[in-house]
Amino acid sequence: MLRPDGIAGTYEHVVVEDGVRVVALDDDGQVVLVEDDFYLQERRVLHLPGGGVGGQDPHAAAVRELEEETGLVAGETRPLGVIDPLSATTVARTHLFLATDLRPGHTQRDATEIGMTVQRWKLDDAIDAVRSGRISEAGTVAALLLAEHARA
């Protein structure tokens, strides 16, 4: 690669697909979170439902991931924004969505999500968890803050 100063160099990067995160907000103002084991972090991580786009457009992937991980289907899903969570490492982006009008569907977790649990938190409590560092996954942090702003 050629650096901006014109000198040849090496730039290491990771190639992964775009992802999605979904703020699923129920009629009581509770947000649906999932907690799962993250191998690299060597701990359980509390985050919003989501994952890779899997060749789908981001909206369809958000709808799919929400149902697969939580067993919920949204009557309405709208975009909150897009972030570049690791812009120095990958070109992959995370598409953020707000899902409302929730109804029961069917979970269909993959083998890596066997220990996943679903939790419902008041949105304000989730925002407090972002501020305290309890919730730290980049897409989740951004989506929750955008959802809080959209609600105001």
Side-chain angles (χ1 to χ4, degrees):
M1 80 155 248
L2 198 58
R3 298 185 328 204
D5 62 6
I7 298 173
T10 301
Y11 195 91
E12 295 179 355
H13 64 280
V14 177
V15 177
V16 293
E17 65 182 349
D18 282 4
V20 295
R21 285 284 180 238
V22 182
V23 178
L25 199 58
D26 69 18
D27 293 338
D28 295 325
Q30 292 187 315
V31 64
V32 179
L33 297 164
V34 294
E35 189 173 44
D36 201 10
D37 297 304
F38 274 48
Y39 176 78
L40 293 176
Q41 285 76 13
E42 297 181 334
R43 63 182 167 84
R44 291 185 65 76
V45 175
L46 187 62
H47 60 93
L48 291 170
V53 296
Q56 295 179 299
D57 78 88
H59 180 267
V63 169
R64 173 183 48 79
E65 286 287 343
L66 177 63
E67 184 173 14
E68 284 179 357
E69 293 185 359
T70 68
L72 295 170
V73 176
E76 183 178 342
T77 308
R78 65 182 173 100
L80 286 170
V82 180
I83 62 169
D84 295 307
L86 297 167
S87 56
T89 306
T90 183
V91 297
R93 306 181 90 194
T94 302
H95 303 264
L96 311 173
F97 293 89
L98 176 64
T100 55
D101 190 23
L102 306 176
R103 65 184 187 277
H106 302 283
T107 57
Q108 190 175 354
R109 297 185 184 133
D110 64 35
T112 65
E113 299 166 333
I114 281 301
M116 181 178 281
T117 59
V118 176
Q119 302 176 25
R120 289 186 188 231
W121 290 35
K122 287 286 188 189
L123 181 58
D124 291 339
D125 292 340
I127 297 299
D128 288 343
V130 166
R131 291 190 176 111
S132 72
R134 171 117 169 31
I135 295 177
S136 59
E137 190 275 324
T140 298
V141 168
L144 287 171
L145 294 174
L146 288 167
E148 178 191 41
H149 180 72
R151 182 181 68 160

